[in-house]
Amino acid sequence: MDYFLTDEQKMVRDMAREIAEKKVLPIRAEMDEKGEYPSEIQKELAKADLCGLWIPEEYGGMGKGTFESALVTEELARVCGGVAANYAVNALATYPILIGGTEEQKKHFLPPIARGEKVSAFALTEPGAGSDAASLSTMAVPDGNDYILNGTKCFITNAEVAEVYTVITMTDKSKGTRGTTAFIVEKGTPGFVIGKEENKMGIRATMTRELHFQDCRVPKGNMLGKIGEGFKIGMRTLDKSRPGIAAQAVGIAQGALEASVEYAKTRQQFNQPIIHFQAIQFMLADMATQIEAARALVYQVCKNIDAGVENYSKESAMAKLFASDVAMKVTTDAVQIFGGYGYMKEYPVEKMMRDAKITQIYEGTNQIQRVVIGASVVREGASR
């Protein structure tokens, strides 16, 4: 389908595709096998001015929107879901600064991220608080001109390589979500310790670790927004970032479809390529249709966000929900088309299937997305 991309958007997409095919593809299997962060790919993205795509020009970025970021994420995910996750999380972690940061904070923290000199990470999830963000136990207690942080965050993407972390803490447990506060924490802050690396099923090119705060002293000037606004900043961040996860899912699914078509053209059974069999054609037809429907939804939600639509929580959840379910279905079907070979690491679709699964889980499970969507429908009705 023609989505009427501008010349500039086509250029962004094509640059990301070139990096994915020329730089990521040759080392994709190695990164997955070793669980290595692609620092050289980060440098390539920085060289192409793609690291600050979503950051306003006054803070050193390109001043584009979620749509352009989604185009890059999709192209990277088409080759490697892990590399795409690193890119998308860099946006996720800077959104709280853009949403709740002061001018001074934005001018200090955003330019090196926009230039690709620093990587960022977002810390919300805890061992005892995943979907239930109101159960955060990481505490921030005021002490003079600082706050003292104590607690643990888990499953933090980019944890080892990041220099800037946006962290959601609890400042008043009696107030529930209204007792949460967000802070910027820099790597090297005394009392801030990077924990163990997780041995993951998929997106193994990402570094996923725990973060430990042990009497970690953070200046009050690093607070994002006001006391008690942490949950609000976090939820607004996720509303804006979920289409990025949806774009990652679309990219993974697209890569799986392309691999399936190529394999079906060459795999011979009963004296002919299996792509000639109607059973295979029907699977490919469903895969292609589901991907295009997901892409259309993701692109439109991104365009709505960039156009300044005020409330897009429901639509953002829909994009993430639908695209990630499509990615899981498409990659599962891709493994089926490859048959026994699809189960082997020699071929890429088993990796795509592993990478796809996380898109149904992180930044809010798909069950939570349904809660968000359902609550909106109950509150606002189903009318357009």
Side-chain angles (χ1 to χ4, degrees):
M1 290 178 66
D2 189 345
Y3 290 100
F4 304 102
L5 303 186
T6 66
D7 289 341
E8 195 171 21
Q9 288 166 343
K10 289 176 184 176
M11 183 179 69
V12 166
R13 179 199 62 192
D14 293 345
M15 282 194 299
R17 181 172 296 179
E18 184 175 2
I19 291 171
E21 293 180 349
K22 291 185 177 179
K23 303 296 182 179
V24 179
L25 185 58
I27 60 172
R28 173 174 65 186
E30 182 182 0
M31 287 190 298
D32 181 65
E33 189 67 29
K34 294 181 178 179
E36 290 183 348
Y37 176 80
S39 55
E40 291 304 313
I41 305 303
Q42 171 69 13
K43 292 176 184 176
E44 292 294 330
L45 292 167
K47 204 183 302 179
D49 284 331
L50 296 177
C51 291
L53 207 57
W54 60 91
I55 295 174
E57 291 180 5
E58 58 265 37
Y59 309 121
M62 298 297 291
K64 305 305 175 187
T66 58
F67 183 54
E68 287 81 5
S69 301
L71 291 175
V72 175
T73 301
E74 180 184 345
E75 290 300 328
L76 294 175
R78 180 173 150 264
V79 172
C80 179
V83 171
N86 291 325
Y87 181 81
V89 165
N90 212 20
L92 163 69
T94 53
Y95 285 147
I97 302 175
L98 289 167
I99 291 168
T102 63
E103 277 300 304
E104 185 179 355
Q105 289 170 339
K106 292 173 184 177
K107 288 176 179 176
H108 178 72
F109 289 106
L110 294 178
I113 295 172
R115 293 191 296 267
E117 296 168 1
K118 290 186 177 181
V119 174
S120 54
F122 177 73
L124 172 63
T125 302
E126 297 181 358
S131 298
D132 182 10
S135 296
L136 295 179
S137 60
T138 297
M139 290 295 300
V141 179
D143 183 52
N145 292 322
D146 303 319
Y147 271 83
I148 308 298
L149 273 59
N150 280 285
T152 297
K153 298 291 184 178
C154 64
F155 308 146
I156 308 303
T157 304
N158 284 350
E160 182 181 13
V161 295
E163 299 280 346
V164 178
Y165 301 77
T166 47
V167 183
I168 312 297
T169 70
M170 186 67 73
T171 45
D172 188 343
K173 279 185 175 292
S174 68
K175 294 182 179 179
T177 57
R178 294 184 179 181
T180 58
T181 305
F183 293 91
I184 301 171
V185 182
E186 296 182 77
K187 191 176 217 173
T189 301
F192 177 31
V193 180
I194 309 297
K196 70 180 181 73
E197 183 178 350
E198 304 293 351
N199 187 10
K200 303 187 298 298
M201 169 180 166
I203 59 166
R204 290 175 54 79
T206 65
M207 294 293 100
T208 307
R209 290 177 178 265
E210 291 182 339
L211 306 180
H212 302 290
F213 301 95
Q214 302 164 354
D215 293 328
C216 177
R217 189 173 289 273
V218 178
K220 285 185 176 178
N222 281 25
M223 183 191 297
L224 289 169
K226 299 176 182 177
I227 296 174
E229 291 186 340
F231 184 78
K232 182 176 75 172
I233 290 172
M235 294 306 103
R236 285 182 62 194
T237 292
L238 291 174
D239 284 345
K240 198 164 187 176
S241 67
R242 279 171 179 152
I245 300 304
Q248 179 195 12
V250 170
I252 293 170
Q254 180 66 38
L257 173 62
E258 291 172 7
S260 298
V261 170
E262 288 305 308
Y263 180 81
K265 286 179 179 178
T266 58
R267 172 64 169 167
Q268 294 270 338
Q269 289 290 277
F270 305 102
N271 298 316
Q272 59 181 313
I274 64 171
I275 202 166
H276 291 168
F277 297 123
Q278 192 177 62
I280 299 297
Q281 290 179 10
F282 278 10
M283 290 178 74
L284 294 173
D286 286 344
M287 292 159 75
T289 302
Q290 291 158 4
I291 291 168
E292 208 61 67
R295 180 179 289 116
L297 177 57
V298 173
Y299 283 12
Q300 188 57 52
V301 171
C302 287
K303 288 180 178 180
N304 281 9
I305 294 172
D306 294 342
V309 172
E310 283 191 23
N311 188 358
Y312 45 83
S313 181
K314 177 183 71 175
E315 291 76 16
S316 178
M318 285 177 169
K320 195 266 188 189
L321 165 68
F322 186 72
S324 59
D325 280 355
V326 164
M328 200 64 233
K329 174 70 165 60
V330 166
T331 54
T332 301
D333 286 348
V335 171
Q336 192 72 21
I337 288 171
F338 273 72
Y341 290 108
Y343 206 68
M344 305 300 156
K345 286 184 178 290
E346 182 181 352
Y347 293 86
V349 289
E350 62 86 27
K351 174 190 181 303
M352 293 170 177
M353 183 178 175
R354 289 186 285 111
D355 286 352
K357 185 60 197 172
I358 192 61
T359 66
Q360 294 181 308
I361 298 172
Y362 63 8
E363 294 201 26
T365 65
N366 281 8
Q367 287 67 37
I368 290 296
Q369 304 314 305
R370 288 178 168 90
V371 169
V372 172
I373 297 163
S376 179
V377 170
V378 169
R379 184 174 59 251
E380 300 168 6
S383 60
R384 296 180 60 196

